[in-house]
Amino acid sequence: MSIAQIKNLQRRLANLEQEAVEELNRCCGHELWLTVGFDAFDSLEDPDRRSRANYYYGQLQTARELQQVIG
């Protein structure tokens, strides 16, 4: 990969990470999930919010793992 491609990928991953964080804050209604982690989503009573939270948490973890790999 060229340097330009890596920079572009890093920018896109950062955008995905930010989107996931914003959606998780919306699903939970607060930022406490940052300290509690994945367990915070199990306590959500609304199944739609819980499934959205699980989806975006997976997106967040994937973006962070890829960011670690490419540096």
Side-chain angles (χ1 to χ4, degrees):
M1 279 186 131
S2 72
I3 293 174
Q5 288 174 316
I6 291 172
K7 294 268 185 207
N8 190 32
L9 180 58
Q10 288 172 330
R11 182 185 52 78
R12 291 167 60 195
L13 288 171
N15 288 342
L16 284 173
E17 181 179 8
Q18 183 61 34
E19 175 191 18
V21 167
E22 290 171 4
E23 287 297 322
L24 288 167
N25 287 340
R26 262 188 228 118
C27 289
C28 294
H30 50 72
E31 295 180 359
L32 290 176
W33 66 269
L34 287 167
T35 56
V36 177
F38 186 74
D39 294 331
F41 311 130
D42 290 336
S43 64
L44 294 173
E45 293 181 17
D46 182 8
D48 290 332
R49 286 176 59 196
R50 189 171 45 244
S51 67
R52 270 190 24 232
N54 285 322
Y55 171 80
Y56 281 106
Y57 190 75
Q59 177 177 310
L60 177 64
Q61 292 301 102
T62 301
R64 286 180 175 170
E65 287 175 19
L66 288 170
Q67 285 172 336
Q68 286 179 342
V69 169
I70 63 171

